């Protein structure tokens, strides 16, 4: 199947499925992602960020909970992080960044806070908290 241009997916009972593909094709995919990230980032201004944020509401509906300025910040950080990840061919940071922004949107959704989030406090450094399920 690999010789015919397709990937082979190995389904495993004891773990995640594995995908086998030709290295050249995987490299071409990453090169294409990198080029797209560079192209999009080069074309950004506030107006484009606003339109992009509106369109990203489809795959990431939680963006609508962020105030407009935070939506622009999300788009800029998303593209900056995507470019960096594509350049090193690792996308873990992009996934972490998406989770962090989704958590920010959840904070803005709290009905006890002001709609513009002016009463939210941002931490300068990351802090750990005990898991409430395991502390007594």
């Amino acid at each position: 199947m690999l010789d015919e241009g397709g990937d082979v997916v190995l389904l495993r009972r004891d773990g995640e499925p594995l995908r086998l593909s030709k290295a050249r094709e995987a490299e071409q995919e990453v090169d294409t992602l990198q080029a797209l990230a560079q192209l999009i980032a080069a074309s950004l201004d506030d107006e484009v960020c606003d339109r992009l944020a509106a369109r990203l509401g489809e795959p990431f509906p939680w963006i609508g909970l962020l105030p407009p300025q935070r939506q622009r910040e999300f788009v800029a950080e998303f593209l900056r992080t995507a470019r960096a990840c594509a350049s090193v061919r690792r996308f873990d940071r992009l996934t972490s960044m998406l989770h962090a922004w989704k958590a920010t949107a959840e904070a803005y959704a709290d009905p006890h806070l002001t709609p513009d989030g002016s009463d939210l406090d941002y931490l300068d450094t990351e802090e750990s908290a005990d898991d409430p399920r395991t502390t007594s």
Side-chain angles (χ1 to χ4, degrees), residues 44 49 71-81:
L44 288 182
C49 281
Q71 291 180 14
R72 278 188 219 105
E73 290 173 18
F74 164 74
V75 170
E77 185 176 349
F78 179 86
L79 292 170
R80 193 173 46 251
T81 305

Side-chain angles (χ1 to χ4, degrees), residues 127-136:
E127 293 185 23
S128 297
D130 293 329
D131 186 339
R133 297 169 295 187
T134 59
T135 55
S136 48

Side-chain angles (χ1 to χ4, degrees), residues 61-110:
W62 47 262
I63 290 174
L65 299 171
L66 298 170
Q69 180 57 34
R70 294 281 184 225
Q71 291 180 14
R72 278 188 219 105
E73 290 173 18
F74 164 74
V75 170
E77 185 176 349
F78 179 86
L79 292 170
R80 193 173 46 251
T81 305
R83 289 173 70 189
C85 289
S87 72
V88 296
R89 300 173 183 260
R90 300 258 341 218
F91 292 90
D92 310 46
R93 290 261 175 113
L94 186 60
T95 301
S96 295
M97 190 238 28
L98 283 171
H99 289 295
W101 272 102
K102 184 176 181 183
T104 301
E106 290 171 359
Y108 277 100
D110 186 332

